[in-house]
Amino acid sequence: MPLLRKEIAKLKTEPGNKRINEICLDMIFKNHIFLEDIESLYELLITPVSDNLRFASFLALRSLPLENHNLKKFSALLNCNESSCEQLLINEVRFASFPVVRVENRSVVSATLSSVLTIKLTEENILLYDDKKEDLNLISTLADSKFFVLFDTSIVERSYMLSIFATLSVSNHELLVSYSFTGGISEKGFVFSSDYVEGKKKVCQERGKRLIYGSYSLEVFLDWLEQKEHPIPLALLFGNAARDGITKVSPVIEKAILKESKHFSWESLMIFADLSEKDCLFVQEQNIDSERQEWTKLIKNYIKPLITNLFTKTDPAR
């Protein structure tokens, strides 16, 4: 059996060698790691190897007992305090995902979900990505958190930023598992929409996740994800009200809800709850007969399915 540290030594001279990369990954996944391999795993974090190998090697390091680590060597390699290195190994890891698409001739030819992990730190940021330090420091300021971050894939665009902010700011772990995030963040704390949202939504749906996308402030983002309850409108329109149409009724409903929930909008409802106006409105141009039989039929055939759909769509774990 090859020794992990020897394979890592080969990678340092041939960082693009896919075969050696796969050998190292296989050994890590099979837990073929000896104490003598630890310092070689440290070096993988600062060696230009594949992102998935760097990601796996860090998780392997965390699986080893703290007393087996050389914090002095680790901190020297990462250029940080020993106390920060200790936090890397023992503090909570939080994961989130974001979609990545490959585009040719303005069309999405492939899409996948990438993972990011973060660890909150108390003293300093530990940022291994020189080309992303400006954006990562901005996230640190907006989230008011020092942190360490790793990606499991190579990324180009800035749409990963919202996923990192989510791991640092959203307290509900279930949401981080159920959702995927896409969007860059401005210095003023506004999320700006990313490109190719439909392709990204498709891969998220295939993986059983709801995509959070669009343009809004981080205040709105946190309000929707942190609050346990949000008003969901349900309106039944008959006769003249129905003939006025959704376009006239929708602003009235939105204005009424804003009195109770300052961040409500139909657009936010679509982004965070996957609900459109049509999901929340029942329209019938004829007036309903007051007879009980007519109401029973209406409730059974139309209103009950409408309410069931609202509950289904607003469940983040669906």
Side-chain angles (χ1 to χ4, degrees), residues 88-110:
L88 284 184
L89 298 169
I90 63 174
N91 283 8
E92 177 192 26
V93 180
R94 305 198 78 186
F95 297 90
S97 66
F98 58 97
V100 175
V101 296
R102 187 166 66 87
V103 177
E104 293 180 1
N105 298 321
R106 294 177 174 256
S107 297
V108 174
V109 295
S110 65

Side-chain angles (χ1 to χ4, degrees), residues 210 232 234 273-281 302-315 318:
R210 181 185 298 167
I232 304 296
L234 174 61
D274 196 26
L275 292 172
S276 68
E277 295 163 63
K278 291 182 179 180
D279 290 318
C280 302
L281 304 176
Y302 299 102
I303 298 177
K304 185 177 178 180
L306 188 67
I307 294 174
T308 299
N309 181 57
L310 291 181
F311 275 105
T312 299
K313 282 197 168 187
T314 52
D315 177 9
R318 68 183 173 89

Side-chain angles (χ1 to χ4, degrees), residues 11 34 39 111 147 151 174 176 213 246 281 300 310 314:
L11 265 184
F34 299 93
E39 293 187 9
F147 67 96
F151 303 100
E174 181 180 295
L176 296 179
Y213 62 96
I246 292 177
L281 304 176
K300 179 181 179 181
L310 291 181
T314 52

Side-chain angles (χ1 to χ4, degrees), residues 16 31 59 84 89 110-111 137 159 213 222 247 250 290:
N31 201 28
L59 293 177
S84 296
L89 298 169
S110 65
N137 280 316
S159 60
Y213 62 96
L222 289 175
T247 55
S250 293
S290 59

Side-chain angles (χ1 to χ4, degrees), residues 61-299:
L61 283 171
R62 282 183 54 94
S63 69
L64 301 170
L66 181 62
E67 58 267 23
N68 292 332
H69 285 274
N70 184 337
L71 295 180
K72 184 176 181 179
K73 176 70 176 292
F74 198 15
S75 62
L77 284 170
L78 296 183
N79 192 27
C80 65
N81 299 328
E82 288 187 28
S83 58
S84 296
C85 274
E86 182 174 343
Q87 290 175 38
L88 284 184
L89 298 169
I90 63 174
N91 283 8
E92 177 192 26
V93 180
R94 305 198 78 186
F95 297 90
S97 66
F98 58 97
V100 175
V101 296
R102 187 166 66 87
V103 177
E104 293 180 1
N105 298 321
R106 294 177 174 256
S107 297
V108 174
V109 295
S110 65
T112 187
L113 276 188
S114 295
S115 294
V116 60
L117 69 79
T118 64
I119 299 173
K120 284 189 177 183
L121 306 172
T122 58
E123 300 176 33
E124 58 190 324
N125 288 323
I126 301 178
L127 307 176
L128 305 180
Y129 303 91
D130 290 336
D131 60 330
K132 298 175 178 61
K133 278 190 177 179
E134 185 176 349
D135 285 342
L136 295 174
N137 280 316
L138 172 60
I139 296 170
S140 176
T141 299
L142 294 172
D144 192 24
S145 290
K146 304 294 185 184
F147 67 96
F148 168 81
V149 60
L150 271 183
F151 303 100
D152 72 346
T153 190
S154 177
I155 50 177
V156 178
E157 59 177 34
R158 302 173 70 200
S159 60
Y160 68 86
M161 294 176 71
L162 186 60
S163 63
I164 296 178
F165 180 84
T167 63
L168 299 173
S169 304
V170 175
S171 59
N172 187 340
H173 291 223
E174 181 180 295
L175 295 182
L176 296 179
V177 174
S178 302
Y179 291 159
S180 192
F181 306 88
T182 185
I185 305 175
S186 73
E187 291 183 4
K188 294 185 178 180
F190 281 86
V191 179
F192 48 87
S193 24
S194 61
D195 297 327
Y196 307 105
V197 167
E198 290 307 311
K200 292 177 178 180
K201 287 173 70 174
K202 183 179 179 182
V203 70
C204 289
Q205 290 168 355
E206 290 171 352
R207 298 284 292 274
K209 293 180 182 288
R210 181 185 298 167
L211 180 64
I212 301 297
Y213 62 96
S215 300
Y216 39 82
S217 69
L218 291 176
E219 182 183 4
V220 170
F221 173 79
L222 289 175
D223 179 70
W224 275 91
L225 267 69
E226 289 289 85
Q227 295 294 326
K228 292 183 179 179
E229 295 182 355
H230 283 281
I232 304 296
L234 174 61
L236 311 178
L237 309 179
F238 301 97
N240 291 334
R243 285 187 282 274
D244 284 341
I246 292 177
T247 55
K248 288 187 177 181
V249 174
S250 293
V252 176
I253 295 174
E254 184 172 284
K255 185 177 180 180
I257 295 177
L258 277 170
K259 294 178 181 178
E260 303 295 329
S261 180
K262 68 176 183 177
H263 292 135
F264 177 84
S265 69
W266 287 110
E267 183 182 9
S268 294
L269 195 66
M270 171 58 78
I271 292 171
F272 295 103
D274 196 26
L275 292 172
S276 68
E277 295 163 63
K278 291 182 179 180
D279 290 318
C280 302
L281 304 176
F282 174 78
V283 179
Q284 179 175 296
E285 291 195 6
Q286 292 100 6
N287 285 312
I288 185 69
D289 195 304
S290 59
E291 292 184 8
R292 180 175 179 178
Q293 185 177 358
E294 288 297 312
W295 275 101
T296 300
K297 181 179 177 181
L298 178 71
I299 291 170

